[in-house]
Amino acid sequence: MHQIMLEKGWTCEVPKQYAIYQSLSDFSRYSVLDQEEESVCSFQITTDTCKITAFRPWQHQIELDATSKVIRLILMEEAD
């Protein structure tokens, strides 16, 4: 996992092979892309809240801690 500081005091933790992109038209909106550059989730942050606007739950879990202002995207292991 790596941690990236976002706007308004928020932090996002994602798997190392994933990337976070900030919207150029609205700096409060972010997208997380996997290693194939496909969208895993999108969210919008304000000073006090985070709104998940899209989420691909297959193999993923999101933990949101509004008190600490941390968004954590966890890649779940496939069951054999």
Side-chain angles (χ1 to χ4, degrees), residues 3 15-17 33 44-45 51 54-55 75:
Q3 191 175 62
K16 290 184 182 185
Q17 65 270 32
L33 303 183
Q44 181 176 16
I45 58 173
K51 178 182 177 185
F55 178 52
L75 177 62

Side-chain angles (χ1 to χ4, degrees), residues 3-57:
Q3 191 175 62
I4 299 168
M5 295 298 298
L6 308 176
E7 298 286 318
K8 300 177 177 36
W10 285 84
T11 302
C12 188
E13 295 178 6
V14 296
K16 290 184 182 185
Q17 65 270 32
Y18 286 25
I20 298 176
Y21 292 93
Q22 186 176 30
S23 170
L24 296 176
S25 61
D26 182 350
F27 292 142
S28 70
R29 294 183 183 272
Y30 294 85
S31 293
V32 177
L33 303 183
D34 64 15
Q35 62 270 24
E36 282 88 32
E37 297 186 5
E38 295 195 20
S39 180
V40 175
C41 74
S42 299
F43 55 90
Q44 181 176 16
I45 58 173
T46 65
T47 302
D48 299 321
T49 63
C50 174
K51 178 182 177 185
I52 306 299
T53 55
F55 178 52
R56 188 180 70 188

Side-chain angles (χ1 to χ4, degrees), residues 56-71:
R56 188 180 70 188
W58 181 74
Q59 291 188 331
H60 297 93
Q61 177 179 333
I62 293 179
E63 293 179 359
L64 179 62
D65 183 345
T67 304
S68 300
K69 293 186 172 184
V70 175
I71 305 157

